[in-house]
Structures are given as structure tokens and as C-alpha cells.
Amino acid sequence: MPKPLLWNLRRFRECTAQYRNGAIECPHPPVRLWIEPTNVCNLRCISCPTGRGHVHAPGRMPLDLYRAVIDEAAGFAVDINLIGRGEAFLHPEIGEMVRYAHDRGLSVRLESNATVLTADKSEAVIRAGLDFISFSIDGYVKETYEAIRRGAVFEQSIGNVVGFLETKRRLRSRKPYAIIQLIRTRPFLETATRANRKRFRRMFRGLPLNAYRYVTPHRYVGEIEEEITGSRYGYMKRTDGGGLLKLRYTPCPYLWMSMHVLWDGTVAPCCMDFHGRFILGSVRESTLLEIWNGEPIRSLREKIASRRHGEVPLCAGCDLLRQTTLAGVSTKNIRDFNIFLRENIVR
């Protein structure tokens, strides 16, 4: 059974407090886990290191390893994000992964490019209890979409999303909370006219789609060029079209609130570590809680909290360390938390 909303809120509050205090050793375990089903992807997107062939040693997480991680995480985590460097639906047992975490009382979230989504896969994850799904589209029109998400076919991807939503409606399921995500890269913005947006949204009219989300593109610690993202380290695009907004240094919340488990069991500090540059440990050798307060992550927290991020190659040029804030918390995290609340209200 899913955990009560009040229990989830208390866990978020605990982790937020240790983040704001800059705790080096955290008494409260992570509230969220990112678990990578596979690092293999079928696309070559221009705004992703995987799409540029920068991920090595392809593989997928064995189900027994996944179950061991879930069994431990069920005691303290609020949700599991089946998100990594690859396409989750390329894992042949993705439905079982969703079901196992759901049955252990965890909220389960998933992101997909929708290209390999089928009617059977859609029904499998919906019936398994998936709580949230994000479809990455990144273009209102065929030419833009296919130039960004190389290897995908616009009509097929849209059809797969529509099919998923029709299956959700047929099953009369309130879950998953379904969104379409669009990354505001420069190529996307070139055709992001009001007329194109209106035509795009019309394709999903009457279907159980919960929201659209527009995302500022990551530079993935400098791997993606400014001409694609349209952003610079320390700045973000204004939503009113007025140029770039200068940001302030904000310690990365991931180190105090979450962990990222790669397909082979190694643990990275966050989903930006595409190359395993800063490994915290392995769940094959240690428990999640041992890694959570092990020496590598304590050292990393100390550097990030004291603004010594330049000493960490992974973090030195990360755009997530420059954010707008409210009451000492990044507004990105606040937006993510608001989405979490809306997901839970849909229960």
C-alpha cells in the first residue's frame, strides 16, 4: 500500500531541514532514489550526453539487484524514479520493476521518450501501479522534434503517447499522473510559436493528460554547448524573453535528499554524473544507508556547503549550483515538490 501523504511530507521536511542546515552527516535517510533500469537509449538527442555516444559499458539492472535495493529503500524512501542515462522501456522487465516497488509501498515515477512504447507496455505499467510518467517530446512540429530527438519519428511518438493516454482512460485509472515535458533549447524555441503550441496541444485534447512542463536545459557540466541550450553557467533564460537572469550560488539539494543507483549497482551523487566520475560506493558491497553517510559523500557535502565546488570536477561547472531561491531552497526543488503534491492528490 502507498505510504500516507502525511508520512511523505514529514520525510520531505526532515531532508529539507538537513539540506538547509548544510549537515555533513545526515541523520535522516534519502527521501528519493533515482534507479537506472538501463543506460542504453535508442535515440541520439542533441541535448543529452547519451545521445552523443558518451556513455560506455551498456547494460541493464538485473531484477534481483533491483529487488534488493527496493527492499531496503522501502523502509525510508518516498518515491523511486526509474530514470537514468537510457530509455526505461528498453528494459524488458520494466513492468515488473514498477509493480515490485509499488507493492512495497513506494511511489513510482518514470520518464520516457515514448518511441518504443507499445499498447502492451502501456497497460503493463498502468496496471502495475505507476504513479507518474513524463513523456519527453521537445518539439511542437515534426521538423524541430526530429532534429532534436534524432532517430525518432514525430507521428509515431505522438501516437504512442496518445495510445498510452487512451489505455489509461480505458482502464479508468487516475494514475499515472501524466505530463509532457518540453526542454526549452534554442532549436525548440525557434518554432515554439503560439499557433504551433495550440496545434500541438490539440492532439491530446480530451485525453487524461495532467500537465505540460517546460524545462530549462542542462549543460550537463559543460558537455552541451551554449548554442544548443541557450544558457550560460550562472545564468538562466527569462521567461518573459528579456535575456538572461543572473543566478546565485545554491548548494545542490541532491546530496542531502537523494541517491542515484546506476544499472550495475554503483552509486553516484546525482543524475548528472553520466561518466561515473564521483562514485560513492556500490550496493553490491554496502547498504544504501552505509553509503549515505560514508566518507565520499560526507566529503562532497562539506565542499558543496562551503562553496568549494571548484575542487570537485563533477560539480565545478554544474548549472544546478546556480539557482533562483525562496527561503533558502531552490525554486526548482519547490516546483518539483509541488508536482509531487499534485501527483499525490490524484490518488
Side-chain angles (χ1 to χ4, degrees):
M1 290 292 293
K3 296 181 174 68
L5 178 58
L6 288 179
W7 188 90
N8 292 341
L9 292 175
R10 177 174 60 83
R11 291 274 22 257
F12 270 104
R13 187 174 66 249
E14 291 169 346
C15 285
T16 299
Q18 61 193 17
Y19 164 63
R20 294 181 66 180
N21 293 333
I24 305 306
E25 184 157 344
C26 292
H28 302 294
V31 69
R32 302 190 118 162
L33 253 66
W34 269 255
I35 300 178
E36 178 180 77
T38 179
N39 66 346
V40 174
C41 188
N42 59 317
L43 300 186
R44 293 294 175 261
C45 303
I46 64 173
S47 57
C48 173
T50 300
R52 295 172 171 229
H54 293 180
V55 176
H56 309 287
R60 61 174 185 249
M61 182 172 283
L63 203 54
D64 59 344
L65 177 62
Y66 173 78
R67 286 172 175 155
V69 172
I70 294 299
D71 287 344
E72 183 182 358
F76 55 79
V78 167
D79 56 30
I80 299 298
N81 296 265
L82 295 176
I83 303 166
R85 297 165 292 180
E87 165 54 42
F89 280 105
L90 288 175
H91 196 297
E93 297 168 302
I94 190 65
E96 176 57 27
M97 296 175 90
V98 172
R99 181 179 299 282
Y100 193 80
H102 172 80
D103 289 349
R104 298 290 278 120
L106 292 160
S107 178
V108 189
R109 308 171 88 251
L110 187 151
E111 288 186 5
S112 173
N113 61 34
T115 57
V116 296
L117 192 58
T118 64
D120 288 344
K121 290 177 181 178
S122 297
E123 183 160 348
V125 295
I126 293 171
R127 289 190 180 278
L130 184 65
D131 292 276
F132 172 95
I133 189 165
S134 171
F135 297 110
S136 300
I137 302 298
D138 300 342
Y140 289 143
V141 298
K142 178 180 176 68
E143 294 75 18
T144 300
Y145 170 80
E146 293 180 1
I148 293 171
R149 295 201 162 260
R150 294 173 178 169
V153 177
F154 183 72
E155 295 84 357
Q156 179 183 348
S157 299
I158 296 299
N160 290 345
V161 175
V162 169
F164 182 95
L165 296 172
E166 288 175 339
T167 299
K168 178 184 171 183
R169 182 173 59 187
R170 174 174 58 81
L171 296 176
R172 298 181 179 180
S173 177
R174 299 182 70 190
K175 289 293 187 85
Y177 187 94
I179 73 170
I180 287 177
Q181 176 176 286
L182 302 110
I183 301 177
R184 300 174 73 247
T185 60
R186 276 186 171 170
F188 166 76
L189 292 174
E190 288 172 1
T191 55
T193 64
R194 182 175 298 180
N196 284 340
R197 181 179 66 182
K198 188 174 181 179
R199 280 192 290 269
F200 178 81
R201 292 191 175 194
R202 192 179 297 137
M203 293 186 284
F204 307 100
R205 186 176 295 169
L207 295 171
L209 180 69
N210 296 92
Y212 295 90
R213 180 166 67 185
Y214 294 87
V215 178
T216 299
H218 297 305
R219 294 200 61 201
Y220 288 102
V221 295
E223 288 196 40
I224 310 301
E225 298 86 350
E226 185 181 332
E227 64 232 38
I228 291 175
T229 65
S231 61
R232 294 203 309 268
Y233 176 68
Y235 296 84
M236 70 178 292
K237 286 175 285 191
R238 292 181 181 273
T239 56
D240 59 6
L244 295 175
L245 175 68
K246 189 173 183 178
L247 305 173
R248 60 180 295 179
Y249 181 84
T250 307
C252 175
Y254 289 137
L255 303 178
W256 287 267
M257 303 185 76
S258 64
M259 300 178 77
H260 189 72
V261 184
L262 304 181
W263 70 267
D264 60 356
T266 55
V267 178
C270 74
C271 54
M272 295 293 116
D273 193 359
F274 265 69
H275 306 288
R277 292 169 175 161
F278 201 112
I279 297 303
L280 303 176
S282 171
V283 294
R284 294 181 182 274
E285 301 168 359
S286 308
T287 67
L288 289 169
L289 293 184
E290 287 171 344
I291 297 170
W292 179 241
N293 276 312
E295 193 282 328
I297 195 170
R298 285 188 285 111
S299 173
L300 187 53
R301 287 183 189 130
E302 195 278 328
K303 289 181 173 65
I304 298 303
S306 60
R307 297 175 177 247
R308 292 161 50 211
H309 58 292
E311 299 177 18
V312 185
L314 172 66
C315 306
C318 182
D319 44 17
L320 289 181
L321 285 172
R322 299 282 175 175
Q323 296 281 330
T324 53
T325 62
L326 180 64
V329 179
S330 77
T331 51
K332 177 186 180 300
N333 257 49
I334 294 171
R335 287 193 299 271
D336 289 347
F337 181 68
N338 286 337
I339 291 172
F340 166 80
L341 287 179
R342 290 196 293 271
E343 293 171 39
N344 279 265
I345 290 169
V346 171
R347 276 182 182 173

